[in-house]
Amino acid sequence: MSLGESHASSAASSSAASPSAASPSAASPPPGSEPPSGTPTAPGRGLLANHLRNTVLPVRPALIDRGSAARVQPGMLENLVSSGRARAVVLSGRQALIDGGGLVLLDAAELADHLRDTDYAPDQLVYLGTALPGSDLETGTELVLFLLPRQFEVKAEEFEPHIAGIPAGAQWAGFRDVAARLNPTETALFIEASAIANWHASHTHCPRCGTATQPEAGGWVRRCPADGSEHFPRTDPAIIVTVIGPDDRILLGGGGPLDATNYSTLAGFVEPGESLEQAVVREIGEEVGVRVTASQYLGSQSWPFPASLMLGFTATTEDTTATPDGVEVTRARWFSRSELQDAVLAGEIVISSRLSIARALIEHWYGGIIKDRADVG
């Protein structure tokens, strides 16, 4: 549960990039698909709740072309930076340069020149890709990640070379701190940059012989100079699940103190040799003692902290009681739709942020948008 709880209580992406921002269940059912008599609907909305028609969460189009063919060309990254055509995203210690709630994008050639021969010269450059039509940047904008060994003081004396070109109001911030203020393109860039940066930081040596590896292919491959083996970025799959009982109530859980009020979906990592559906059955059984009878995939969300991909499911069970394992899950509770909405508005519980796939999954079951206390003043 610790994985799911940490993910669900944080801002996983901007609302425009998150499945929860435009949950399919928030739209009216297509003509001819009205709920049959006796089917649960979202209170006051007349929407089919936990529906199977158009059941998957919306697929958000890619905003960045990562250029897998272009980045393998020898010298491509160095030539791009020196050309003056690229913009730079700056990351250090899992924090990026932010100005006014948005990512700071600098001229890559100027930044490279300013940082050269300083204590802040980048340890690594990574090609992030090219802005696609529909992004918040001009189509074709080339983007490069600068991974710095340490953070410089943004408000240092103006004559220091590493300050040139950086907005006066810029500051270092982590993704969770600014996720709600980022536009979709900035969200995509921050997540991509964080994922590849975490991989480089944790895979500096060859797992076969221990030799320090060397980055290639625009920062997307590390090669061992001793045995020639290539090593690629890794992603850890994790399932995140809404569990629905025979009476159509949803099971939510939480970790930590017994009197805590945060409740979310259940989640856990997929183990080697295990299918996603098997992971759903195992994790729900381990965490709350509930036997899953069926499950269905709904959508996914990247969560590179450090390297997870959250795979969203809804699952059914005939069980009506849940027993927390007392380790990862300390509290588990069933809710009807009206009970959940009332508990949230009363401040009795706090559910996952609208920026997370956990909230999207919960609202998929609910059949519409769940109001937070802030929504009603």
Side-chain angles (χ1 to χ4, degrees):
M1 177 60 191
S2 57
L3 178 148
E5 185 174 28
S6 173
H7 169 269
S9 62
S10 304
S13 68
S14 76
S15 59
S18 167
S20 62
S23 172
S25 53
S28 298
S33 64
E34 289 77 12
S37 177
T39 302
T41 59
R45 297 181 63 88
L47 303 180
L48 182 57
N50 204 39
H51 57 82
L52 297 179
R53 182 185 294 271
N54 299 326
T55 191
V56 295
L57 303 178
V59 176
R60 298 298 174 186
L63 300 174
I64 305 296
D65 179 355
R66 302 191 180 194
S68 57
R71 69 195 185 200
V72 300
Q73 301 301 317
M76 175 269 187
L77 187 56
E78 293 75 10
N79 293 335
L80 177 61
V81 170
S82 62
S83 71
R85 297 185 293 109
R87 307 294 290 173
V89 175
V90 186
L91 203 66
S92 180
R94 298 192 178 185
Q95 293 186 317
L97 275 180
I98 301 294
D99 182 39
L103 273 180
V104 173
L105 298 179
L106 302 170
D107 183 290
E110 291 183 2
L111 182 62
D113 184 59
H114 292 323
L115 295 180
R116 188 175 295 113
D117 300 324
T118 73
D119 293 338
Y120 310 100
D123 288 332
Q124 176 73 46
L125 299 179
V126 179
Y127 180 61
L128 295 178
T130 306
L132 289 168
S135 77
D136 299 280
L137 298 172
E138 181 179 352
T139 300
T141 300
E142 301 276 13
L143 298 150
V144 176
L145 172 62
F146 280 56
L147 290 174
L148 308 190
R150 52 185 295 206
Q151 296 179 357
F152 50 73
E153 173 56 54
V154 177
K155 297 181 181 180
E157 296 296 332
E158 292 184 0
F159 61 80
E160 294 188 28
H162 60 267
I163 299 301
I166 297 176
Q171 59 183 336
W172 295 98
F175 181 74
R176 293 176 176 87
D177 302 322
V178 297
R181 303 197 299 273
L182 298 177
N183 65 42
T185 304
E186 291 169 336
T187 295
L189 286 172
F190 207 145
I191 288 178
E192 179 185 355
S194 297
I196 195 66
N198 291 338
W199 175 69
H200 277 291
S202 58
H203 291 76
T204 57
H205 289 72
C206 176
R208 296 182 178 180
C209 66
T211 302
T213 53
Q214 300 171 349
E216 295 182 354
W220 290 88
V221 176
R222 297 190 71 98
R223 183 185 296 275
C224 176
D227 62 24
S229 59
E230 293 181 323
H231 307 279
F232 299 87
R234 296 291 186 264
T235 295
D236 300 324
I239 50 92
I240 182 166
V241 189
T242 50
V243 179
I244 313 302
D247 53 2
D248 207 41
R249 290 188 300 166
I250 191 172
L251 177 62
L252 300 179
L258 293 176
D259 59 354
T261 59
N262 58 302
Y263 280 84
S264 184
T265 47
L266 303 171
F269 287 108
V270 180
E271 294 188 347
E274 187 176 50
S275 72
L276 299 179
E277 292 79 7
Q278 290 169 344
V280 169
V281 173
R282 176 185 54 77
E283 281 288 344
I284 302 306
E286 290 176 353
E287 293 187 350
V288 291
V290 167
R291 297 163 296 181
V292 167
T293 56
S295 64
Q296 181 175 355
Y297 172 78
L298 295 180
S300 66
Q301 186 176 54
S302 177
W303 187 244
F305 304 101
S308 297
L309 175 64
M310 308 303 296
L311 300 156
F313 281 80
T314 186
T316 58
T317 180
E318 292 301 315
D319 294 338
T320 56
T321 60
T323 305
D325 63 6
V327 180
E328 294 188 2
V329 179
T330 56
R331 296 163 287 112
R333 180 174 168 184
W334 298 92
F335 296 89
S336 68
R337 290 172 179 80
S338 59
E339 288 171 345
L340 181 62
Q341 180 63 92
D342 291 346
V344 170
L345 290 180
E348 180 183 338
I349 67 168
V350 177
I351 60 173
S352 312
S353 161
R354 287 188 177 133
L355 303 176
S356 68
I357 190 174
R359 180 64 168 256
L361 293 171
I362 295 171
E363 290 186 341
H364 172 271
W365 160 81
Y366 185 78
I369 302 301
I370 299 172
K371 293 181 180 179
D372 290 321
R373 297 189 77 186
D375 298 330
V376 295

